[in-house]
Amino acid sequence: MKQEQTPPALIMIFGATGDLAKRKLFPSLYQLYLKGSLSNQFAVLGVGRREWSDSRFKEHVRDSLHASSHSNDLIEAFIEHCIYQSHDVADSNSYIQLKTQANELDRRFSLEGNRIFYLAMAPEFFGTITDHLKQDGLTDTDGFCRLVIEKPFGHNLPSAAALNEQIRQSFSEEQIYRIDHYLGKEMVQNIEVIRFANAFFEPLWNSRFISNIQITSSETLGVEERGRYYETSGALRDMVQNHMLQMVALLAMEPPINLSTDEIRSEKVRVLRAMRPVEGKEVDEYFVRGQYDKGIMNGQNVDGYRDGDNVDPASNTETFVAGKVMIDNFRWAGVPFFIRTGKRMAVKSTKIVVQFKDIPMNLYYNKEHSLDPNLLVIHIQPDEGITLHLNAKKTSEGVNTQPVRLSYSASSIDGINTPEAYEKLLYDCIMGDATNFTHWDEVRRSWSFVDKISDHWESTTAKDFPNYESGSMGPEGSFKLVADEGFEWWSVGELDENSK
Ligand SMILES: NC(=O)C1=CN([C@@H]2O[C@H](COP(=O)(O)OP(=O)(O)OC[C@H]3O[C@@H](n4cnc5c(N)ncnc54)[C@H](OP(=O)(O)O)[C@@H]3O)[C@@H](O)[C@H]2O)C=CC1
Ligand SMILES: O=C1O[C@H](COP(=O)(O)O)[C@@H](O)[C@H](O)[C@H]1O
């Protein structure tokens, strides 16, 4: 489907010399430009600490698009819209200069005063920047002003609440777009469509027919050069508080009365409110933490987490989390949502497996066999699509059955590479659609759930750390967690040998 053209806008990126801007933001904006989705009335004002010239910045943007200096006209035309301003976050004079530059770009590109402030910087700067944007008059325009905030949004509930309060002094909730890039992924957005656009799923989507739901997001990379950040975060804050709980909410929510931002968000919040809180010793029954040890990946020896730069050699930080999330409402009573995420695991894969309950009586096998359960697998990445696992009659063998799979692969059927999550989210933000961004109520609820777990983990040393080898599917405890409920993890990729 062709996207509509966006309205004129100045996109001011704080942290424009950083990694996120280079790897994700410039390429995504360029893709929108290439597709004709970005109106010609746009400018990207890159803001960074370095004293770069405009031409140095243009070179940087060109590099990010993997283009040579003699690249094609479209790239050069795009880069003409990219301007740089060096800046010190704490200095009012810097903001006055930014304002002058923004007003000048407004005139030059006819931007109608529309502004998006994208904070791609360390979170300790978020509050200072928003204070200055208002105090120094950058938000005084005739057009719209929107604020895009990168993760992490706080470190726990109190710090997130303090940050929220500070930001709200300068921007209203409607103007704030909190990024969770999983919400920009094609197949995460497809969860609602699969559920609410198919007559045969929704009637079965409850505790009468579903035995458990498994959400795995496994990564093969380690913490790499992010040790300093990760030591204060761990997998629980880095992945569970945001991406994993957002997927739980989309899978468990009630059908919204319409597809408006407010209705969808309020249904998601109801799920987050219904999650059974676990605290103190109870955490050990519901959650398992892990930390990767050295191991062999792709035939190469790799170090353990504790050997990484800026990591405490006796670190108590988890690089893996598995958990059983219970949603105490009428629809989901008794159905475990198993979540699992970790670094340095055997496969890079994000998958959701919905396992249906066994049929009441097996007519087709004798006692030593059992029918495979029906599964709906939603492949989020790297492959994108859905697979239905069914049982069908084996050809020419009486009434014996065999498992069959019906698959839909998004890229092979639709014939295009699906857009990068950031491309979709940037587009939505310029269009003013906040549906795939997180509301403060969602952030608040998910911190409140996660804080109880981190409180317990931070007050008790994990004596068995490191407890899983690099290149494995996580610690033993994760398999036991699922087995104790009578289930097993379903495989999420070819190298995932420990699962069914
Ligand atoms: N990188 C990623 O893949 C992801 C990043 N994020 C989030 O995005 C944000 C940015 O991350 P990332 O790009 O990796 O960070 P980087 O460290 O690569 O970049 C930080 C940016 O902040 C600028 N900066 C730092 N201090 C100042 C200052 N005092 N005044 C002005 N500018 C300053 C730097 O400017 P200079 O270089 O000129 O010093 C640089 O542009 C973080 O919140 C991170 O959590 C979220 C998901 C993924
Ligand atoms: O937000 C984050 O996500 C990435 C994983 O994202 P994906 O799109 O590759 O699944 C993770 O590596 C990073 O630690 C975390 O901050």
Side-chain angles (χ1 to χ4, degrees), residues 19 44 49 106 119 123 128 143 176 218 229 237 252 270 290 306 309 311 337 341 394 409 445 474:
D19 176 68
V44 177
R49 191 170 33 180
D106 239 9
L119 308 194
T128 313
I176 302 173
S218 58
Y229 153 73
R237 294 188 174 99
R270 284 157 67 88
R306 290 178 176 186
D309 289 342
V311 173
F337 283 65
T341 182
K394 198 162 185 175
S409 154
R445 295 282 171 188

Side-chain angles (χ1 to χ4, degrees), residues 14-21 23-24 47-51 84 87-90 119-123 125-126 150-152 181 226 229 422:
F14 289 83
T17 52
D19 176 68
L20 182 74
R23 284 193 310 109
K24 302 288 185 190
V47 180
R49 191 170 33 180
R50 296 172 213 188
E51 297 284 341
Y84 185 71
H87 165 260
D88 174 353
V89 277
L119 308 194
M121 291 190 52
F125 297 123
F126 293 166
E150 264 301 336
K151 61 168 288 211
H181 78 278
R226 295 170 74 209
Y229 153 73
Y422 276 93

